[in-house]
Amino acid sequence: MDENSPVFAIAVAAELAEMHPQTLRQYDRLGLVVPGRTRGGSRRYSMRDIVQLREIARLGSEGVSLEGIRRVLELENENKELRDRVRELETALADQLINRPGARVFAATTTGAAVSLRAGARPQRNTQIVLYRGPR
């Protein structure tokens, strides 16, 4: 079972989140935490939903408005989606690099030009010294 599996009925979710079931219904109507639904229309909460409910309670106790809480949750969810996408792209890139040995490798020169390198070769190190005298 993963954290996004909707398995908890509203009574269990309310108990885990230490809230009243009516509060969970209100948050669902407001779009703060939208649980999954069964074919019959019953709400089913995931562990991730429970964590979000606890976060709502924490932010509310600190005086954050429901609109502020909605925005915080929205940004946290977007952040998680972006991290997941980056992880997915990193995996795809690693797979490409592993599956394409001998692919061309490039380095940039100090002027910004691209230089082709052999696989496993290192770019030449530039040891020139440049003196700069700023305006006086």
Side-chain angles (χ1 to χ4, degrees):
M1 176 173 84
D2 79 12
E3 70 175 1
N4 295 313
S5 298
V7 294
F8 302 110
I10 192 166
V12 175
E15 188 174 324
L16 290 171
E18 300 177 356
M19 294 179 172
H20 193 277
Q22 191 60 34
T23 305
L24 274 61
R25 289 183 189 96
Q26 179 184 3
Y27 290 165
D28 184 11
R29 281 190 296 273
L30 294 172
L32 291 175
V33 176
V34 180
R37 298 282 182 156
T38 64
R39 287 187 184 158
S42 298
R43 292 173 174 88
R44 289 291 185 262
Y45 292 84
S46 67
M47 201 60 215
R48 181 165 165 68
D49 294 333
I50 305 298
V51 170
Q52 282 192 326
L53 289 167
R54 288 180 179 170
E55 181 70 2
I56 290 170
R58 185 186 66 77
L59 290 169
S61 70
E62 292 178 0
V64 179
S65 69
L66 286 178
E67 181 56 29
I69 291 171
R70 185 194 63 72
R71 185 69 178 134
V72 167
L73 292 177
E74 182 180 283
L75 290 171
E76 285 178 351
N77 289 334
E78 183 179 343
N79 191 337
K80 182 186 181 319
E81 289 171 11
L82 290 171
R83 281 193 318 264
D84 291 346
R85 180 68 176 140
V86 166
R87 199 171 303 116
E88 178 185 311
L89 291 171
E90 286 173 339
T91 301
L93 177 61
D95 290 345
Q96 283 292 321
L97 292 175
I98 289 170
N99 293 329
R100 292 181 43 199
R104 295 182 69 184
V105 178
F106 296 89
T109 65
T110 55
T111 61
V115 178
S116 181
L117 298 175
R118 287 181 294 109
R122 291 179 170 259
Q124 285 187 345
R125 193 171 200 166
N126 188 346
T127 57
Q128 294 176 338
I129 297 175
V130 177
L131 297 177
Y132 173 76
R133 291 192 181 145
R136 293 183 186 203

